[in-house]
Amino acid sequence: DAGVTQSPTHLIKTRGQQVTLRCSPKSGHDTVSWYQQALGQGPQFIFQYYEEEERQRGNFPDRFSGHQFPNYSSELNVNALLLGDSALYLCASSFRGGSRFTGELFFGEGSRLTVL
Amino acid sequence: SQQGEEDPQALSIQEGENATMNCSYKTSINNLQWYRQNSGRGLVHLILIRSNEREKHSGRLRVTLDTSKKSSSLLITASRAADTASYFCATGLNTGTASKLTFGTGTRLQVTL
C-alpha cells in the first residue's frame, strides 16, 4: 500500500519564478492538506482540499494556490517566488468520509524548495 | 502562526533514560496529536488524544492532556538512539467540512549511547 508520494523531492528556482508541487494521497484517502516548514520551525498550514474544493486556508497570500483532481491527487502552485518561500513543503492526506475521520494525518517526505 | 509551544526546545539524554516533552496551546481543540520528524523528512504520527481524554498510552509512549491548563506532555520511556528526532505537538480542530492541524515549534531530542 503506497503512502503519500510527493514530487519533486528537491528543486531550485529563482526569485519571480513559479513552481508546481505534486502530491498523491495514501490509497483510500480523499483529503489533502499542504504545509510549509521553514528550517527549524514547525509546519505551517497552507490549505486543505476535499471534494476538489479548497475547504480551509491558512495565513498565506494568494500567490499560493492549489488544486485537487478527481483521483484525489493535488497540486500546490506558488507564483512570483520570494526568497522567503524557501522551505520544505509537506503534503498530508487523510480520510474524511463518514465516521472514519480521526484527524490523524499521513505525511509525504516533502518537496524541498530553494529560491535563489 | 504557531499554536503550540514545546518545551524544552532541545533535549539530550542517554539511552535507557526517559524523555519528557511538554506542549502548551492557546485555543479550543478537538484533539491533540504528537508527530515525529527525522532530519527534515516527513512527519510520522505517533499518538492522538481527544479533548475528553486525560491520558493515553502506546508502547513506550505516554501522553497526558490537561485542557484546563491547555497543556500536554509526551513521555518516551527507556529511550533508544533510534528515538533521536524532532517531536511536534499539533492541535486539531474540526469545523464542519474542514479540519486543521496547528503545529508547535518542536523539541529536538538527541539520545546518545
Side-chain angles (χ1 to χ4, degrees):
Chain A
D1 177 23
V4 179
T5 58
Q6 292 187 242
S7 64
T9 55
H10 294 82
L11 68 167
I12 300 173
K13 294 285 187 178
T14 57
R15 280 177 296 176
Q17 285 189 313
Q18 178 264 345
V19 67
T20 297
L21 308 178
R22 296 175 176 82
C23 172
S24 292
K26 180 179 169 65
S27 177
H29 284 184
D30 57 8
T31 302
V32 173
S33 302
W34 287 92
Y35 288 81
Q36 179 197 65
Q37 186 178 24
L39 197 63
Q41 300 295 314
Q44 299 255 21
F45 177 75
I46 302 175
F47 40 55
Q48 182 181 81
Y49 278 85
Y50 171 64
E51 291 185 328
E52 302 178 50
E53 290 187 17
E54 182 183 295
R55 297 292 177 166
Q56 193 165 0
R57 188 179 183 92
N59 188 26
F60 280 81
D62 292 345
R63 297 187 298 108
F64 289 77
S65 63
H67 190 77
Q68 185 180 34
F69 300 94
N71 67 353
Y72 307 118
S73 67
S74 177
E75 288 182 351
L76 164 65
N77 300 291
V78 187
N79 296 322
L81 285 167
L82 304 173
L83 295 179
D85 295 331
S86 295
L88 180 67
Y89 288 86
L90 295 161
C91 170
S93 73
S94 55
F95 178 75
R96 172 172 301 285
S99 61
R100 289 171 54 187
F101 179 67
T102 62
E104 174 185 350
L105 297 184
F106 290 79
F107 281 84
E109 293 296 324
S111 294
R112 184 164 296 283
L113 171 65
T114 302
V115 182
L116 302 177
Chain B
S1 62
Q2 307 285 165
Q3 155 81 306
E5 295 286 335
E6 275 96 332
D7 171 53
Q9 290 187 333
L11 179 61
S12 182
I13 59 174
Q14 290 191 319
E15 205 172 43
E17 293 181 334
N18 295 342
T20 300
M21 296 162 242
N22 303 296
C23 167
S24 60
Y25 58 92
K26 299 173 184 175
T27 63
S28 298
I29 63 172
N30 293 115
N31 62 63
L32 188 141
Q33 304 178 36
W34 286 88
Y35 286 79
R36 165 196 168 122
Q37 184 178 39
N38 287 0
S39 300
R41 300 186 66 185
L43 281 78
V44 175
H45 180 264
L46 295 176
I47 195 166
L48 180 154
I49 185 167
R50 292 185 167 78
S51 59
N52 61 353
E53 297 176 312
R54 292 296 168 259
E55 187 171 314
K56 202 162 184 178
H57 296 255
S58 177
R60 292 185 297 114
L61 306 180
R62 172 179 170 258
V63 170
T64 62
L65 177 65
D66 186 336
T67 53
S68 67
K69 296 181 179 178
K70 291 186 167 56
S71 67
S72 173
S73 68
L74 170 68
L75 169 67
I76 304 175
T77 60
S79 62
R80 306 165 182 168
D83 294 329
T84 295
S86 291
Y87 292 81
F88 294 91
C89 70
T91 52
L93 186 62
N94 304 331
T95 56
T97 59
S99 67
K100 174 181 169 181
L101 278 188
T102 305
F103 284 83
T105 51
T107 292
R108 294 185 307 279
L109 174 65
Q110 175 78 41
V111 182
T112 57
L113 296 172

